[in-house]
Amino acid sequence: YPADRVLAEDDCALRTPLQRDRDRIVHCKAFRRLKHKTQVFVAPEGDHYRTRLTHTIEVAQLGRSLARGLGGNEDLAEAICLAHDLGHAPFGHAGEHSLNALMADHGGFNHNTQSYRIVTELERRYPDFPGLNLTYETREGMLKHETDYDVSEAADFEPEKRASLEAQIANLADEIAYDAHDLDDGLRAGLFTLSDLEELVIWRELCDSAGWQAGQNFTSMHRHEIIRELIGRSVGDVMARTSEAIATQGIDSPEKLQRHSENIVGYSPDFGHKVRALKRFLYE
């Protein structure tokens, strides 16, 4: 990818432009502030639970793995993943809803838009420009990041085009991490019981794979095995389904991928149905 920044800069002799994007994101103040922002639990609940920062690190790891498997640019996927939650409010989605209501007369509040504002305006680290002066590809990926909870306006980034392969990968990495750590943290905290989970097909399948049966003692090791199995199955399904879609749909260029009728990175129908049931359970 070319170094298409708002303000042109000389190339770095040691890093690619996208590696520089990644490094600027990791070293910015907003990234450190994710440490104290809620994922599900506030910090005083204990240091074993996820925060926005640990969630972001997990998303970046999954993003790199998916990008490598699907032939994408690992550095771009990682940069988008590391930046995707910079604009989150404290107190999770409840905090965002409250801020949105309070800011209704001033355009509302959207954490994707706020993430973009942070990297283009609010961070003050360089004498020659506001923000981080990231490449076009990273900024586009941030704005076109979408989940069940948020979709942002991307008017300045060819809105007729879908997100890049790497941004679509970031969407799925975010979802996989969410589902896995919400299940993990919820079990650890006792927010739901093992019997509550029995209604879920995916839970029963994960327990079979982990060698645990209802009625047996459920240890932390069983929980770790089940979470690993969920992540592994999710990544494997996305890899297989997306590779098949790229081949059968004749997508042989980034241009074709971004102009396809729907996002190309995703779950298979059967596995996606099971994951959505888990997501609904965890949301409730």
Side-chain angles (χ1 to χ4, degrees):
Y1 285 104
D4 188 6
R5 305 182 189 277
V6 174
L7 182 67
E9 298 182 52
D10 292 336
D11 288 339
C12 174
L14 301 177
R15 296 168 297 164
T16 68
L18 295 171
Q19 287 173 330
R20 291 178 82 186
D21 281 2
R22 175 202 60 201
D23 295 349
R24 288 179 180 189
I25 291 162
V26 167
H27 287 282
C28 77
K29 180 174 66 177
F31 187 79
R32 295 193 297 277
R33 295 179 71 189
L34 294 172
K35 174 183 176 183
H36 293 295
K37 290 186 178 179
T38 307
Q39 192 64 31
V40 174
F41 299 93
V42 293
E45 293 289 341
D47 59 6
H48 289 188
Y49 299 106
R50 271 75 170 187
T51 65
R52 283 283 167 198
L53 180 58
T54 59
H55 163 72
T56 294
I57 293 170
E58 291 177 17
V59 173
Q61 177 266 313
L62 290 166
R64 286 198 72 98
S65 296
L66 285 166
R68 176 169 294 189
L70 293 171
N73 187 298
E74 291 180 53
D75 295 325
L76 176 56
E78 183 180 32
I80 296 168
C81 289
L82 288 170
H84 85 280
D85 269 356
L86 290 179
H88 254 294
F91 308 109
H93 291 288
E96 180 162 357
H97 295 326
S98 295
L99 269 178
N100 188 47
L102 290 167
M103 296 297 292
D105 294 337
H106 306 278
F109 179 87
N110 175 283
H111 85 261
N112 267 5
T113 305
Q114 182 69 3
S115 295
Y116 185 80
R117 188 178 293 123
I118 284 169
V119 302
T120 56
E121 299 176 46
L122 299 182
E123 283 285 337
R124 298 284 176 168
R125 303 182 62 81
Y126 302 95
D128 297 330
F129 49 79
L132 305 180
N133 199 33
L134 303 178
T135 63
Y136 176 95
E137 289 75 21
T138 299
R139 288 179 284 120
E140 178 196 36
M142 290 176 64
L143 273 186
K144 291 184 178 179
H145 172 70
E146 58 186 54
T147 68
D148 291 342
Y149 307 105
D150 48 68
V151 178
S152 294
E153 174 63 39
D156 295 331
F157 293 86
E158 298 180 288
E160 73 281 2
K161 288 186 178 181
R162 295 191 169 275
S164 64
L165 173 67
E166 292 80 6
Q168 292 185 36
I169 284 171
N171 295 340
L172 266 293
D174 188 23
E175 186 169 340
I176 293 168
Y178 248 119
D179 293 340
H181 64 52
D182 281 4
L183 179 59
D184 192 15
D185 286 352
L187 281 169
R188 186 197 300 273
L191 289 181
F192 40 80
T193 67
L194 299 174
S195 59
D196 291 335
L197 289 162
E198 281 294 316
E199 68 183 67
L200 298 170
V201 173
I202 196 168
W203 171 256
R204 299 196 296 271
E205 292 179 352
L206 293 170
C207 289
D208 287 343
S209 298
W212 182 82
Q213 295 180 345
Q216 292 180 334
N217 184 35
F218 188 78
T219 67
S220 61
M221 194 60 65
H222 287 123
R223 191 180 74 249
H224 294 319
E225 283 290 320
I226 286 170
I227 298 305
R228 276 200 296 273
E229 187 69 19
L230 174 58
I231 293 172
R233 286 188 178 207
S234 299
V235 170
D237 184 84
V238 171
M239 290 272 202
R241 174 69 177 85
T242 303
S243 296
E244 179 187 31
I246 288 172
T248 58
Q249 298 297 323
I251 295 173
D252 56 7
S253 70
E255 181 76 13
K256 285 186 180 179
L257 184 140
Q258 289 190 267
R259 293 192 179 278
H260 193 59
S261 58
E262 58 186 3
N263 282 357
I264 207 72
V265 181
Y267 296 116
S268 65
D270 180 61
F271 192 80
H273 177 74
K274 296 173 185 176
V275 167
R276 284 190 293 275
L278 172 62
K279 189 185 297 292
R280 286 193 297 270
F281 174 88
L282 294 171
Y283 184 84
E284 291 300 320

